[in-house]
């Protein structure tokens, strides 16, 4: 498999020695052909002795020099446009060279480009188009690459659903997008098949395309029973949200209430829209779901959902959830209090020691505006190596947010830390550090800390920082 220009150069040298094309390029992926194309030009500039004897001669004429397939492949990639143009003319004798003709269709030399387009237009059929689609679409990203893509589309619109299926399963997402657009345009897939594709594909473009097409193609109410289940059970939130929104159109708005507690904010928002359209208040549903506070089955999505559509009075329902046994609920309760602007520093502070990393992360985020009110020594204690990594990171985030000498002291203290991630955070924080703009001169400790940080700064930058801090250089 040719992975880069170096591999392509080795393949080009083998071809120049007469090696068969089919054994030299042991794969048919776009990367191989593009690597070979780039490598031949590289060799022509820097190692011309490895190329055939016509390197400095006139281009081989079709009526005088009949090149073999291997050398013709090199000629198709040559840096001399006259050689490439004549090679394109001769390539019609070797169908195996069609991938290189595809590349030449986007050639920077007009005559070469036009010659290649003429050859490709005559040679391309449904079978070869299916084989060449990944390469055509890759070349299509280049300047002047739109010809091949347009021609590919015209040819593949004649392909049957069965033949197009190979592209629908291609690992390259660009190929799948192209194929699904053709399938949707040609109505080759049933709504239920489109729904399954939307739920199963990992590419968001394919998900949106197929989900929209599946819902648009519905003609009768009964078809919803085949389309909605895959959409509503999809792992990706965009597809689930499309299914939830479609519940109203399907006359099944009541089912949207189950998605008010979805893990995705997008799905929750769509569910709230559908619920409101049927005259219900989502906030009431959330309040009912979050009471009592010790419900072990309480979904975290219901907690943050309440904050998303509730009011500050709902903080009274969220505060008891800070002690819920489920870490997800505790984390969403913290996030909800922050969203409602009801995050109390003293109440949230104990959660910086929570065993769950997600809870500590949300707590640190909620406390950032109040970082200056937290005891510096208490935070510094939590950056010690005896604490769990997530606690140390959370405490350091807050120390860094305080700024001033405390932030610099915390960062310098972690320069030799065994935790690589925390050490990197500390170095980044030290690079960002600036003296407080209160007009007061810093004490001698700042100068010492900056000296311990000199490996992060140029001499000029270090002198400037000391000058700004008002300490002696």
């Amino acid at each position: 498999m040719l992975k880069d220009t170096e591999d392509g150069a080795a393949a080009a040298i083998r071809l120049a020695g007469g090696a068969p094309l089919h054994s030299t390029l042991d794969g048919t992926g776009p990367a191989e052909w593009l690597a070979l194309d780039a490598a031949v030009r590289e060799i022509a500039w820097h190692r011309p002795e490895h190329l055939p004897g016509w390197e400095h001669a006139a281009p081989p004429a079709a009526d005088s020099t009949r090149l073999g397939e291997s050398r013709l492949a090199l000629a198709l990639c040559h840096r001399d446009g006259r050689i490439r143009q004549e090679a394109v003319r001769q390539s019609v004798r070797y169908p195996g060279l069609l991938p290189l003709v595809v590349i030449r269709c986007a050639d920077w030399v007009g005559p070469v480009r036009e010659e290649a387009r003429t050859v490709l237009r005559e040679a391309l059929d449904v079978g070869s188009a299916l084989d060449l689609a990944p390469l055509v679409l890759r070349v299509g990203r280049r300047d002047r690459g739109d010809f091949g893509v347009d021609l590919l589309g015209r040819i593949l619109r004649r392909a049957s659903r069965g033949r197009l299926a190979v592209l629908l399963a291609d690992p390259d997402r660009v190929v799948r997008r192209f194929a699904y657009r053709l399938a949707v345009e040609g109505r080759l897939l049933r709504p239920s098949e489109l729904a399954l594709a939307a739920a199963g594909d990992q590419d968001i473009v394919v998900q949106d395309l197929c989900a929209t097409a599946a819902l648009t193609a519905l003609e009768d109410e009964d078809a919803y029973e085949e389309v909605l289940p895959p959409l509503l059970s999809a792992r990706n939130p965009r597809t689930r949200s499309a299914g939830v929104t479609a519940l109203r159109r399907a006359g099944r708005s009541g089912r949207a209430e189950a998605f008010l507690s979805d893990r995705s904010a997008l799905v929750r928002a769509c569910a709230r829209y559908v619920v409101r359209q049927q005259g219900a208040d989502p906030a009431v549903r959330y309040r009912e779901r979050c009471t009592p506070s010790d419900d072990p089955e309480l979904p975290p999505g219901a907690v943050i959902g309440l904050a998303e559509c509730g009011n500050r009075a709902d903080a009274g329902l969220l505060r008891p959830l800070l002690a819920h046994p489920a870490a997800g609920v505790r984390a969403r309760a913290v996030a909800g209090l922050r969203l409602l602007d009801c995050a109390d520093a003293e109440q949230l502070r104990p959660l910086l020691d929570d065993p769950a990393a997600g809870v500590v992360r949300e707590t640190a985020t909620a406390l950032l505006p109040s970082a200056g009110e937290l005891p510096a020594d208490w935070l510094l204690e939590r950056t010690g190596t005896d604490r769990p990594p997530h606690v140390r990171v959370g405490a350091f985030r807050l120390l860094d947010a305080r700024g001033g000498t405390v932030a610099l002291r915390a960062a310098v203290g972690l320069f030799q830390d065994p935790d690589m991630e925390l050490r990197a955070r500390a170095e980044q924080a030290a690079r960002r550090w600036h003296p407080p703009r209160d007009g007061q001169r810093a004490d001698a400790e700042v100068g010492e800390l900056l000296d311990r940080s000199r490996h992060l700064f140029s001499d000029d930058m270090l002198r400037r920082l000391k000058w700004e801090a008002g300490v002696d250089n």
Side-chain angles (χ1 to χ4, degrees):
M1 182 71 178
L2 310 186
K3 297 180 180 178
D4 50 32
T5 303
E6 184 177 346
D7 288 343
I13 292 172
R14 292 197 298 273
L15 290 174
L21 180 66
H22 65 85
S23 62
T24 303
L25 273 70
D26 56 1
T28 57
E32 287 198 301
W33 296 106
L34 294 170
L36 177 65
D37 181 50
V40 173
R41 288 195 303 278
E42 184 75 14
I43 293 173
W45 281 108
H46 302 292
R47 293 180 286 172
E49 68 276 6
H50 292 293
L51 291 178
W54 37 261
E55 162 61 18
H56 298 293
D63 58 354
S64 61
T65 305
R66 305 285 288 182
L67 295 180
E69 185 181 41
S70 297
R71 291 203 169 192
L72 195 55
L74 297 176
L76 281 164
C77 307
H78 203 274
R79 66 184 177 93
D80 188 320
R82 298 169 300 166
I83 293 178
R84 292 199 305 277
Q85 184 178 3
E86 183 57 42
V88 170
R89 293 194 185 105
Q90 293 194 35
S91 67
V92 296
R93 297 182 288 115
Y94 298 104
L97 294 176
L98 204 54
L100 293 174
V101 174
V102 169
I103 298 175
R104 295 284 69 82
C105 285
D107 200 278
W108 58 94
V109 177
V112 178
R113 191 165 62 246
E114 294 307 318
E115 192 76 43
R117 292 177 176 184
T118 298
V119 172
L120 186 64
R121 192 181 294 113
E122 296 175 355
L124 202 64
D125 56 21
V126 171
S128 57
L130 290 170
D131 292 335
L132 292 172
L135 177 61
V136 172
L137 294 172
R138 180 79 68 89
V139 174
R141 304 174 195 172
R142 299 180 173 183
D143 290 340
R144 303 172 295 271
D146 54 348
F147 168 84
V149 177
D150 292 342
L151 179 61
L152 181 69
R154 291 199 300 271
I155 297 296
L156 289 183
R157 283 183 180 90
R158 305 198 298 261
S160 66
R161 166 183 162 172
R163 301 197 71 178
L164 196 61
V166 65
L167 299 185
L168 298 176
D170 195 281
D172 188 333
R173 64 182 181 182
V174 175
V175 176
R176 295 200 310 280
R177 291 174 183 177
F178 185 81
Y180 272 111
R181 288 191 182 102
L182 292 178
V184 169
E185 179 185 318
R187 299 189 176 186
L188 300 178
L189 298 175
R190 297 190 302 274
S192 58
E193 293 173 315
L194 289 167
L196 289 170
D201 203 280
Q202 299 301 309
D203 180 59
I204 61 173
V205 174
V206 174
Q207 294 165 10
D208 289 349
L209 174 69
C210 292
T212 301
L215 295 172
T216 302
L218 293 176
E219 297 178 354
D220 58 81
E221 186 174 325
D222 293 339
Y224 278 102
E225 293 305 322
E226 296 181 353
V227 170
L228 286 179
L231 299 182
L232 295 173
S233 61
R235 289 177 58 87
N236 55 82
R238 297 176 69 91
T239 302
R240 286 203 309 283
S241 66
V244 170
T245 305
L247 287 170
R248 178 169 177 260
R249 175 183 163 190
R252 296 162 172 79
S253 297
R255 293 176 60 183
E257 290 192 12
F259 294 89
L260 289 173
S261 303
D262 195 272
R263 61 184 179 274
S264 163
L266 175 62
V267 177
R268 291 195 299 271
C270 291
R272 288 195 291 270
Y273 165 77
V274 175
V275 169
R276 288 191 184 102
Q277 293 304 304
Q278 64 173 348
D281 185 355
V284 173
R285 299 289 188 270
Y286 283 127
R287 292 175 187 127
E288 293 171 351
R289 193 68 185 86
C290 291
T291 307
S293 61
D294 58 352
D295 180 5
E297 302 299 323
L298 177 62
V303 179
I304 191 62
L306 174 59
E308 288 168 341
C309 71
N311 53 54
R312 299 193 68 183
D314 292 313
L317 289 175
L318 296 181
R319 291 190 182 100
L321 298 177
L322 296 175
H324 195 277
V329 172
R330 296 198 302 277
R332 297 303 182 274
V334 173
L337 290 170
R338 176 174 60 85
L339 195 60
L340 293 172
D341 196 23
C342 294
D344 179 81
E346 284 304 313
Q347 187 175 43
L348 295 183
R349 178 176 151 186
L351 290 174
L352 277 176
D353 291 319
D354 197 278
V359 176
V360 174
R361 184 166 53 248
E362 289 290 354
T363 302
T365 301
L367 291 177
L368 284 176
S370 308
E373 303 172 12
L374 298 174
D377 291 342
W378 184 83
L379 290 174
L380 282 169
E381 181 184 348
R382 275 149 185 78
T383 63
T385 55
D386 59 325
R387 304 284 178 162
H390 64 275
V391 173
R392 303 180 70 208
V393 169
F396 181 70
R397 284 180 64 194
L398 293 168
L399 286 164
D400 186 36
R402 290 175 63 101
T405 304
V406 170
L408 185 59
R409 185 189 306 137
V412 173
L414 295 172
F415 281 172
Q416 304 301 322
D417 197 88
D419 187 320
M420 184 180 301
E421 179 184 351
L422 197 55
R423 190 166 66 241
R425 283 176 176 266
E427 291 180 349
Q428 291 173 1
R431 289 190 181 98
R432 294 192 308 266
W433 186 85
H434 284 284
R437 297 181 179 179
D438 53 10
Q440 298 182 2
R441 289 178 60 87
D443 55 26
E445 181 188 8
V446 171
E448 296 174 2
L449 293 172
L450 289 174
D451 284 335
R452 291 171 62 185
S453 309
R454 70 170 54 251
H455 63 288
L456 302 176
F457 304 103
S458 66
D459 291 340
D460 289 341
M461 187 62 191
L462 185 61
R463 280 194 296 270
R464 181 176 179 82
L465 280 174
K466 287 186 173 183
W467 177 80
E468 290 179 354
V471 298
D472 295 331
N473 285 299

